Amino acid sequence: LSLGNSFPNSIFSLPAAAASLPSLNAETIPHGLLQTQTYHGDEVTATSGEQWWGLFMTTDGFELLQTTITINTVRDMILDSEEGEFTGKEVVTDREAPSVFLVKDLNFLESGGVKTVFSGSATIPSSVPQANGPLSLSLIFDAVEELKNPVEYRFSLTDTTEAEVTQTILTFSEDGNSQQYQLENCCDWTSTKLLWAGDLDRDGRLDFLIDTATHYNVSEPTLFLSSPAQAGEIVRPVARMRSDGG
């Protein structure tokens, strides 16, 4: 994981009109995503006893495992002001290992070890494009060392102004190919963060968990997978969870 000064010109170029890019905020995300934490009551529709996939940090490394979740009713430390009021929902799993995230109904996934190149929180740099391109966050992925060369992935945020309206563009790059999304109303005292990167679907390409929130009081971890990507795409967003107070 590293910060680069720029994208090579062959990798990165600004679109003719930012407004023509797909909006990540308006994108329909088909699957639910959770983390083992406490949410406001109206943010969680899952119920106890449901089966979810979980990416767990075990003694053997990162593993994708099925898990049964429990939703506990707890005190919401922000909203519950009355004595005896319990409107919060706490998400827990039936496994002892801590989880990175939980995702439901991705039936093509398989249990087992998951090659991971990053887990934590790394801010994707934001800049106004200059002659040598925007700042970027870089990852190197060795999928199968003996069969292919390492693949470089880059991430950046670029602010462009058209007709006095500032648009923020999120760019993914994979060895010379790029994909861009527009982030609407970004970013109010917050930053877009890479939370995890690895090969969740075992197709030899990186998948990402990125917090795409555009407001400082919101958390919006979004899971991007490479295997459902369509022509011209590197990854496709498949699961997301938006919560306030993030």
Side-chain angles (χ1 to χ4, degrees), residues 165-244:
V165 176
T166 300
Q167 305 284 359
T168 300
I169 300 168
L170 172 63
T171 299
F172 306 102
S173 172
E174 179 190 56
D175 263 13
N177 299 312
S178 66
Q179 176 183 356
Q180 296 177 319
Y181 277 105
Q182 178 189 163
L183 291 174
E184 297 178 2
N185 303 316
C186 188
C187 295
D188 186 0
W189 294 94
T190 189
S191 56
T192 305
K193 299 179 181 67
L194 177 67
L195 304 178
W196 176 85
D199 189 8
L200 191 74
D201 50 20
R202 299 185 183 86
D203 65 349
R205 301 172 64 194
L206 278 189
D207 310 302
F208 319 114
L209 183 70
I210 297 178
D211 188 347
T212 58
T214 58
H215 189 276
Y216 70 91
N217 198 42
V218 171
S219 175
E220 195 174 75
T222 303
L223 179 64
F224 297 82
L225 294 185
S226 55
S227 56
Q230 299 179 5
E233 296 180 335
I234 296 170
V235 287
R236 174 162 283 264
V238 297
R240 178 167 62 193
M241 176 59 178
R242 187 185 192 278
S243 60
D244 292 330

Side-chain angles (χ1 to χ4, degrees), residues 27-243:
E27 184 95 5
T28 300
I29 310 295
H31 301 288
L33 185 142
L34 289 172
Q35 292 178 297
T36 49
Q37 64 181 54
T38 298
Y39 295 93
H40 300 311
D42 60 356
E43 294 173 341
V44 175
T45 58
T47 59
S48 294
E50 291 181 355
Q51 291 286 314
W52 287 59
W53 286 106
L55 180 65
F56 291 92
M57 295 176 283
T58 73
T59 55
D60 295 324
F62 290 84
E63 292 189 61
L64 183 65
L65 303 168
Q66 287 196 323
T67 185
T68 301
I69 65 167
T70 298
I71 308 297
N72 295 322
T73 300
V74 297
R75 187 171 180 82
D76 188 323
M77 301 306 293
I78 297 175
L79 299 181
D80 292 343
S81 57
E82 301 294 331
E83 184 177 353
E85 190 175 11
F86 297 90
T87 65
K89 291 184 178 179
E90 178 192 33
V91 179
V92 297
T93 75
D94 61 351
R95 296 186 179 273
E96 293 184 2
S99 63
V100 181
F101 59 84
L102 309 170
V103 65
K104 189 181 181 185
D105 294 336
L106 291 177
N107 297 325
F108 56 87
L109 296 178
E110 297 180 357
S111 298
V114 174
K115 185 163 187 177
T116 294
V117 297
F118 176 77
S119 182
S121 180
T123 298
I124 297 175
S126 179
S127 63
V128 176
Q130 299 174 357
N132 62 345
L135 294 171
S136 63
L137 184 70
S138 176
L139 290 171
I140 301 295
F141 180 50
D142 288 317
V144 183
E145 289 82 351
E146 67 273 15
L147 297 180
K148 61 184 296 185
N149 294 325
V151 178
E152 183 177 28
Y153 290 80
R154 287 179 179 262
F155 311 84
S156 80
L157 289 177
T158 307
D159 292 331
T160 64
T161 301
E162 298 178 8
E164 299 183 353
V165 176
T166 300
Q167 305 284 359
T168 300
I169 300 168
L170 172 63
T171 299
F172 306 102
S173 172
E174 179 190 56
D175 263 13
N177 299 312
S178 66
Q179 176 183 356
Q180 296 177 319
Y181 277 105
Q182 178 189 163
L183 291 174
E184 297 178 2
N185 303 316
C186 188
C187 295
D188 186 0
W189 294 94
T190 189
S191 56
T192 305
K193 299 179 181 67
L194 177 67
L195 304 178
W196 176 85
D199 189 8
L200 191 74
D201 50 20
R202 299 185 183 86
D203 65 349
R205 301 172 64 194
L206 278 189
D207 310 302
F208 319 114
L209 183 70
I210 297 178
D211 188 347
T212 58
T214 58
H215 189 276
Y216 70 91
N217 198 42
V218 171
S219 175
E220 195 174 75
T222 303
L223 179 64
F224 297 82
L225 294 185
S226 55
S227 56
Q230 299 179 5
E233 296 180 335
I234 296 170
V235 287
R236 174 162 283 264
V238 297
R240 178 167 62 193
M241 176 59 178
R242 187 185 192 278
S243 60

